[in-house]
């Protein structure tokens, strides 16, 4: 089972519970995985500061991934850290007509795939990563996040 630690800087009713994050994480890395990941749920100020510091972007973003560069601990991989900005995720879900839970699932999946070595810096990589995201989210019962939909 994945060891997924959730840190909450922001307490928001729209943020999934720890069990939901673990369920999604296990689907991405495998239920037999003993990988370790930290997920930090932040407000817009922290999301902005981290995006500015690490990506040079002057705005908050939905998700940031920080792959670990440490050796295994007791035979377990430390994948890294994922920072998710709750206000941005909620705003995007509304703007894009997506169900909030599905958007959270997509962005955690996206962040975890980055920690597993996926990227989208060129068209070929983006196609591969998006295909994997669609496959995983379909398995979880969520719609394709790249299709235009309307939340009910």
């Amino acid at each position: 089972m994945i060891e997924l630690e959730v840190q909450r800087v922001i307490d928001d009713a729209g943020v999934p519970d720890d069990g939901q994050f673990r369920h999604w994480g296990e689907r991405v890395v495998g239920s037999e995985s003993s990988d370790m990941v930290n997920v930090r749920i932040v407000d817009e100020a922290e999301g902005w500061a981290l995006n500015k510091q690490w990506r040079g972007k002057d705005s908050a973003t939905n998700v940031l991934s920080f792959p670990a560069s440490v050796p295994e601990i007791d035979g377990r991989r430390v994948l890294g850290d994922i920072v998710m900005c709750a206000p941005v995720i909620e705003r995007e879900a509304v703007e894009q007509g997506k169900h909030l839970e599905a958007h959270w699932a997509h962005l955690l999946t996206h962040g975890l795939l980055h920690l597993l070595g996926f990227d989208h810096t060129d068209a070929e990589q983006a196609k591969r990563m998006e295909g994997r995201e669609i496959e995983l989210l379909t398995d979880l019962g969520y719609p394709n996040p790249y299709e235009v939909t309307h939340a009910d």
Side-chain angles (χ1 to χ4, degrees):
M1 173 190 283
I2 188 172
E3 184 178 321
L4 196 143
E5 175 75 27
V6 181
Q7 303 169 351
R8 297 168 187 273
V9 173
I10 186 170
D11 188 20
D12 188 303
V15 177
D17 64 33
D18 294 8
Q20 192 67 55
F21 281 119
R22 278 189 202 92
H23 173 69
W24 297 332
E26 285 179 3
R27 194 61 114 160
V28 176
V29 301
S31 60
E32 301 302 315
S33 167
S34 61
D35 295 334
M36 295 184 284
V37 176
N38 290 312
V39 176
R40 185 170 172 87
I41 311 302
V42 301
D43 59 16
E44 204 148 352
E46 186 171 341
W48 175 87
L50 289 167
N51 202 27
K52 178 78 170 162
Q53 178 180 357
W54 295 103
R55 296 180 62 228
K57 308 267 180 167
D58 198 18
S59 63
T61 190
N62 50 22
V63 63
L64 293 166
S65 298
F66 299 94
S69 58
V70 298
E72 290 185 354
I73 298 173
D74 296 328
R76 301 171 70 199
R77 287 188 307 175
V78 179
L79 294 180
D81 300 311
I82 296 173
V83 176
M84 303 182 79
C85 185
V88 171
I89 292 169
E90 291 172 9
R91 186 169 53 247
E92 286 177 346
V94 170
E95 291 169 355
Q96 297 170 16
K98 295 179 179 177
H99 291 282
L100 183 57
E101 180 180 305
H103 197 43
W104 277 100
H106 174 221
L107 293 173
L108 181 72
T109 299
H110 185 88
L112 284 167
L113 288 176
H114 274 303
L115 296 183
L116 292 170
F118 284 77
D119 210 339
H120 46 81
T121 55
D122 64 42
E124 185 64 33
Q125 290 176 338
K127 182 178 177 181
R128 182 173 167 253
M129 186 171 183
E130 288 173 10
R132 186 67 179 132
E133 289 171 348
I134 293 165
E135 178 184 333
L136 289 163
L137 290 164
T138 299
D139 288 348
L140 287 164
Y142 297 112
N144 178 341
Y146 297 102
E147 287 181 355
V148 176
T149 61
H150 298 285
D152 294 324

